[in-house]
């Protein structure tokens, strides 16, 4: 074979590989083809509002820092435009007493047995950055002083076999004055997007009653739930939930009931970028956790409006299911969005309104007509 022909055949073979997207298997030391390497998840920054640039959602607590929980609240922590490290703003914390370190923290979803790098740019004296709940001891990164400028702190940790979230924190030290933080990062594998669902795959003859928002809380609805021992999955917004947490504890007292995540401001999330969607979902998650002691596992998108960013933002907040519904019994309606009666696994939408007691009665009658019993989502979805 001529050299020219051999060269052309080599080029042709390489072109076929490129066009088909295939690559020749690599050979091991003994000449046998190596096993293909499994694709790895891309490394992303998992922190919520890492540069303190995301505006506070409507209906959020006044003075709160989106994505963050600061022990001293707005009396100590504020987003400021004074000399940020990058962008337009940074977080400045001024401890209000000699007993305060001015800690600000957030919950970050992680994968077990996985290595992450946490970092932040800080300014001030004796500033600390670290993570707890990793499943293994992690020494914080800290600096005695940044000399008036910005300094990067960084710490690396590997999660334990059961870790699904960690608590990322930054704080100063007692009687050491104010400090600033900017450009926070938690770099590691991107979690798989959440799963969107409108019903629950089950052969059990059960149906799921879900109730959204929380602005109108009536004793009639509370009484109907208690009298019929109805397991209710509540999706309240943080503001009405915080205004009357005792009510939501009572109406979700039946076994199988739970309180889940419905965003902070009830915005159409498809009109927001991923980082703002993440604030909406994570902050509502944190509010429900503080109020009711359990962390939401499901997210109900307002208006049932979601996109690929919603699924990723939910996953970044540790939520695995973005749940809509396939029937609506709100405000006197009785709409089933498939032919026939309610079916096993159907999710029924209702709202906390002045018609809820009647809506529940009508939904229960529809379930009875189909030979179904109300059940709790927490018993069927994980």
């Amino acid at each position: 074979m001529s050299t020219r022909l051999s060269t052309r055949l080599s080029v042709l073979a390489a072109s076929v590989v490129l066009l088909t997207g295939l690559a020749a298997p690599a050979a091991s030391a003994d000449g046998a083809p190596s096993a293909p390497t499994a694709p790895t998840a891309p490394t992303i920054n998992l922190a919520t509002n890492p540069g303190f640039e995301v505006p506070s959602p409507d209906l959020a607590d006044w003075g709160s820092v989106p994505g963050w929980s600061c022990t001293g609240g707005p009396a100590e922590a504020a987003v400021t435009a004074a000399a940020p490290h990058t962008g337009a703003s940074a977080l400045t914390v001024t401890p209000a007493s000699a007993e305060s370190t001015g800690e600000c923290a957030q919950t970050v979803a992680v994968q077990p047995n996985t290595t992450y790098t946490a970092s932040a740019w800080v300014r001030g004296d004796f500033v600390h950055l670290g993570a707890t709940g990793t499943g293994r001891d992690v020494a914080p990164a800290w600096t005695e002083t940044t000399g008036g400028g910005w300094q990067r702190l960084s710490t690396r940790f590997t999660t334990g076999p059961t870790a699904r979230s960690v608590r990322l924190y930054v704080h100063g030290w007692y009687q050491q004055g104010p400090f600033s933080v900017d450009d926070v990062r938690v770099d590691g594998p991107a979690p798989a997007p959440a799963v969107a669902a409108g019903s629950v795959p089950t052969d059990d003859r059960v149906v799921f009653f879900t109730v959204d928002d929380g602005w109108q809380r009536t004793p009639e609805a509370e009484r109907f739930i208690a009298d019929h021992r109805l397991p209710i999955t509540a999706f309240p917004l943080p503001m009405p939930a915080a205004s009357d947490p005792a009510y939501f504890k009572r109406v979700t007292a039946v076994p199988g009931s739970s309180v889940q995540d419905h965003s902070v401001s009830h915005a159409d999330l498809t009109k927001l970028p991923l980082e703002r969607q993440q604030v909406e979902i994570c902050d509502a998650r944190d509010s429900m956790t503080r109020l009711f002691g359990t962390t939401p596992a499901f997210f109900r998108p307002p208006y049932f409006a979601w996109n690929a960013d919603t699924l990723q933002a939910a996953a970044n907040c540790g939520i695995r299911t973005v749940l809509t519904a396939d029937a609506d019994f709100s405000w006197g309606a009785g709409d089933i969005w498939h032919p026939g009666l309610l079916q096993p696994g159907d999710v029924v939408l209702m709202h906390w309104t002045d018609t809820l007691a009647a809506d529940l009665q009508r939904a229960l009658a529809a379930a009875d007509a189909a030979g179904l019993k109300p059940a709790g989502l927490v018993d069927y979805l994980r």
Side-chain angles (χ1 to χ4, degrees):
M1 182 183 295
S2 70
T3 302
R4 179 176 296 179
L5 177 57
S6 175
T7 301
R8 287 181 177 176
L9 288 175
S10 298
V11 171
L12 176 61
S15 300
V16 170
V17 169
L18 289 173
L19 289 172
T20 58
L22 300 176
S28 62
D30 60 5
S34 300
T37 302
T40 57
T43 295
I44 66 168
N45 183 7
L46 296 170
T48 301
N49 192 18
F52 305 97
E53 308 287 342
V54 178
S56 185
D58 292 341
L59 306 181
D61 293 338
W62 180 85
S64 62
V65 179
W68 295 83
S69 176
C70 299
T71 55
E76 290 191 349
V79 175
T80 174
H85 176 251
T86 64
S89 56
L91 177 69
T92 295
V93 182
T94 304
S97 71
E99 290 74 36
S100 174
T101 63
E103 183 180 83
C104 290
Q106 64 173 257
T107 299
V108 180
V110 295
Q111 299 179 29
N113 299 316
T114 304
T115 299
Y116 295 86
T117 300
S119 64
W121 286 86
V122 302
R123 183 174 59 201
D125 297 337
F126 291 94
V127 187
H128 295 66
L129 169 77
T132 59
T134 64
R136 296 184 170 95
D137 291 335
V138 181
W142 65 283
T143 180
E144 183 174 350
T145 182
T146 67
W150 288 97
Q151 179 181 329
R152 184 175 182 267
L153 297 181
S154 179
T155 183
R156 200 167 186 234
F157 60 89
T158 299
T159 54
T162 61
R164 296 289 177 183
S165 66
V166 300
R167 182 175 179 272
L168 176 74
Y169 66 84
V170 61
H171 64 70
W173 202 244
Y174 304 101
Q175 304 181 53
Q176 297 301 312
F179 65 92
S180 298
V181 186
D182 203 358
D183 297 327
V184 181
R185 300 191 65 88
V186 180
D187 291 313
V195 175
S199 60
V200 177
T202 179
D203 293 328
D204 294 350
R205 299 201 63 79
V206 294
V207 67
F208 304 95
F209 290 172
T210 65
V211 191
D212 287 9
D213 296 353
W215 295 112
Q216 293 178 284
R217 303 172 295 277
T218 68
E220 293 82 10
E222 179 183 347
R223 193 158 47 246
F224 188 91
I225 291 167
D227 290 347
H228 293 83
R229 299 287 296 164
L230 291 179
I232 296 295
T233 304
F235 289 90
L237 301 174
M239 187 171 285
S243 70
D244 196 356
Y247 181 89
F248 290 99
K249 290 178 182 178
R250 294 194 301 270
V251 296
T252 57
V254 176
S257 298
S258 63
V259 179
Q260 301 295 333
D261 191 326
H262 193 37
S263 82
V264 173
S265 71
H266 208 279
D268 180 345
L269 298 187
T270 63
K271 297 180 180 178
L272 301 178
L274 189 150
E275 57 269 22
R276 291 186 62 181
Q277 293 196 40
Q278 189 165 322
V279 164
E280 287 273 358
I281 299 171
C282 287
D283 277 7
R285 172 205 63 190
D286 293 344
S287 293
M288 297 304 105
T289 303
R290 284 194 301 270
L291 288 169
F292 304 109
T294 56
T295 301
F298 324 125
F299 172 65
R300 166 67 56 75
Y303 315 109
F304 290 179
W306 59 271
N307 56 19
D309 282 348
T310 311
L311 301 183
Q312 189 61 60
N316 293 353
C317 296
I319 289 176
R320 299 303 313 144
T321 303
V322 173
L323 187 71
T324 56
D326 43 21
D328 184 4
F329 279 71
S330 305
W331 293 292
D335 300 324
I336 300 173
W337 298 323
H338 58 67
L341 303 176
L342 289 172
Q343 298 175 359
D346 276 354
V347 176
V348 178
L349 170 68
M350 286 171 275
H351 289 80
W352 298 102
T353 66
D354 56 3
T355 67
L356 180 57
D359 296 339
L360 285 165
Q361 186 169 25
R362 197 169 56 262
L364 186 59
D368 288 342
L372 305 173
K373 296 291 185 182
L377 278 171
V378 290
D379 294 331
Y380 283 82
L381 285 178
R382 289 291 182 268

